[in-house]
């Protein structure tokens, strides 16, 4: 029977070399950190490479140096597979997607570390529908865009043009306004900045709001409500809510809005002025001889 010779487990030949031991230690450090550790090492290498290459010295242009560094980091990491494969857009309802993607400036296949998140966010927030935006990387291959859009509050008509405005009176867009024709219409210079208190008061009375064709800003000081059927309700400056409450009380007690009136003047708190429909002029041909 052949004799079996066992090698000692403590033999110096069984011990890994220094390089192998170093690599094992690095790998143990990287495993818990995941992609973060990989990115840190790649960034450190890219920074070192950037400093060694022409134009990468600290005395160069700060803006150009940062852009060049980002491009080099992006190129290095893209070669290792860190490229954009998925762009997730959350919170978009009205922002045109082609405009959003153009403002974002990121496409599938681009280096995921090769662009500025802050610059992309600023570009997206310049879109008229966008109030706030957040953009984040999810390594290794996903970019997530989250939008908070402006909410259209009313339609503003001025000099024949129609635009959507938000609660702050800021213009949202002048395109596809007809899709929002259910919103209140305000008319005239200064109307957007003063519309919110008036519309809030009208929303509390849906019956009156349903009768209203438009709210017209007069002299950038006060409002006239133009109602269906041709009636005009003149509201006092700065006391729109109180006047509307008074008007609805008169409607409940006397059906005022159902009467044949051209004007209901509520500008004075202690007086009500009514102007009935003007009688059409008599046709001379129908007059009886006397």
């Amino acid at each position: 029977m052949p004799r079996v010779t066992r090698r000692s487990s403590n033999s110096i030949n069984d011990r890994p070399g220094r390089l192998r031991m170093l690599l094992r230690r690095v790998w143990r450090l990287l495993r818990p950190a995941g992609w973060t550790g990989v990115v840190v090492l790649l960034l450190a290498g890219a920074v070192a490479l950037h400093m060694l290459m022409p134009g990468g010295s600290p005395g160069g242009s700060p803006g150009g140096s940062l852009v060049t560094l980002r491009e080099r980091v992006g190129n290095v990491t893209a070669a290792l597979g860190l490229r954009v494969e998925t762009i997730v857009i959350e919170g978009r309802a009205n922002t045109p997607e082609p405009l959003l993607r153009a403002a974002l400036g990121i496409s599938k296949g681009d280096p995921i570390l090769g662009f500025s998140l802050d610059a992309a966010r600023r570009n997206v927030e310049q879109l008229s529908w966008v109030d706030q935006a957040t953009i984040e990387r999810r390594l290794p291959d996903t970019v997530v865009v989250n939008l908070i859009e402006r909410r259209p509050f009313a339609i503003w008509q001025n000099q024949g043009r129609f635009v959507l405005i938000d609660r702050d009176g800021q213009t949202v867009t002048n395109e596809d306004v007809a899709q929002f024709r259910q919103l209140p219409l305000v008319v005239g210079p200064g109307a957007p900045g003063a519309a919110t208190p008036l519309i809030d008061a009208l929303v509390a009375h849906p019956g009156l709001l349903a009768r209203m064709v438009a709210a017209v800003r007069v002299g950038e000081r006060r409002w006239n409500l133009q109602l269906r059927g041709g009636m005009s309700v003149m509201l006092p400056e700065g006391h729109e809510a109180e006047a509307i409450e008074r008007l609805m009380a008169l409607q409940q007690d006397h059906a005022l809005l159902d009467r044949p009136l051209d004007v209901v003047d509520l500008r004075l708190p202690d007086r009500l002025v009514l102007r009935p429909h003007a009688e059409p002029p008599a046709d001379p041909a129908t007059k009886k001889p006397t």
Side-chain angles (χ1 to χ4, degrees):
M1 181 176 179
R3 186 177 179 180
V4 178
T5 304
R6 295 185 178 180
R7 297 175 59 187
S8 172
S9 59
N10 293 327
S11 172
I12 192 172
N13 294 325
D14 291 336
R15 297 179 182 176
R18 292 184 177 180
L19 178 58
R20 184 178 295 179
M21 292 179 66
L22 177 62
L23 291 175
R24 286 181 181 177
R25 291 175 182 172
V26 171
W27 178 245
R28 290 193 190 100
L29 291 173
L30 287 180
R31 278 190 300 177
W35 281 107
T36 303
V38 175
V39 170
V40 169
L41 287 178
L42 291 173
L43 287 175
V47 170
L49 177 64
H50 176 73
M51 297 301 295
L52 291 173
M53 295 184 69
S57 62
S61 170
S65 178
L66 180 59
V67 172
T68 304
L69 174 59
R70 185 180 299 120
E71 290 175 352
R72 290 175 180 171
V73 169
N75 292 335
V76 170
T77 55
L80 297 175
L82 294 181
R83 292 183 178 274
V84 177
E85 294 296 334
T86 305
I87 300 176
V88 178
I89 299 174
E90 301 173 344
R92 187 192 72 84
N94 295 301
T95 304
E97 189 167 350
L99 292 180
L100 173 60
R101 291 187 178 273
L104 186 62
I106 304 168
S107 302
K108 184 177 179 179
D110 288 351
I112 198 168
L113 297 179
F115 64 91
S116 166
L117 290 175
D118 191 53
R121 176 189 58 77
R122 289 196 304 268
N123 290 341
V124 170
E125 288 183 345
Q126 289 179 359
L127 298 175
S128 60
W129 273 106
V130 178
D131 186 22
Q132 297 178 30
T134 57
I135 303 173
E136 60 178 301
R137 298 182 181 94
R138 294 182 183 171
L139 298 177
D141 58 9
T142 302
V143 175
V144 179
V145 181
N146 188 280
L147 303 180
I148 298 177
E149 293 185 328
R150 290 190 174 95
R151 296 182 61 182
F153 183 66
I155 300 172
W156 176 36
Q157 178 186 352
N158 189 40
Q159 297 180 348
R161 298 175 62 247
F162 294 85
V163 299
L164 291 177
I165 58 173
D166 62 12
R167 284 188 64 90
D168 296 328
Q170 299 298 313
T171 298
V172 176
T173 183
N174 59 359
E175 298 180 357
D176 300 323
V177 176
Q179 295 183 12
F180 300 89
R181 55 182 174 272
Q182 76 279 3
L183 294 176
L185 175 66
V186 296
V187 181
T196 298
L198 174 69
I199 294 177
D200 285 346
L202 289 168
V203 167
H205 299 283
L208 177 59
L209 187 60
R211 292 173 180 259
M212 191 183 79
V213 176
V216 181
R217 192 69 172 162
V218 180
E220 299 192 36
R221 296 184 302 104
R222 62 172 198 85
W223 295 97
N224 283 352
L225 304 183
Q226 299 296 328
L227 306 186
R228 303 184 190 281
M231 182 184 296
S232 179
V233 178
M234 305 172 70
L235 301 179
E237 179 181 354
H239 298 279
E240 295 86 1
E242 296 92 329
I244 288 173
E245 293 293 338
R246 181 183 173 199
L247 177 66
M248 298 314 296
L250 290 168
Q251 171 64 12
Q252 182 176 355
D253 295 341
H254 306 288
L256 184 67
L257 299 178
D258 300 316
R259 300 191 175 206
L261 299 171
D262 278 341
V263 175
V264 175
D265 189 346
L266 298 170
R267 288 177 295 173
L268 299 176
D270 59 347
R271 191 176 307 172
L272 174 65
V273 179
L274 305 177
R275 183 187 305 163
H277 283 318
E279 292 290 337
D283 187 350
T286 61
K287 294 182 68 175
K288 296 180 180 180
T290 56

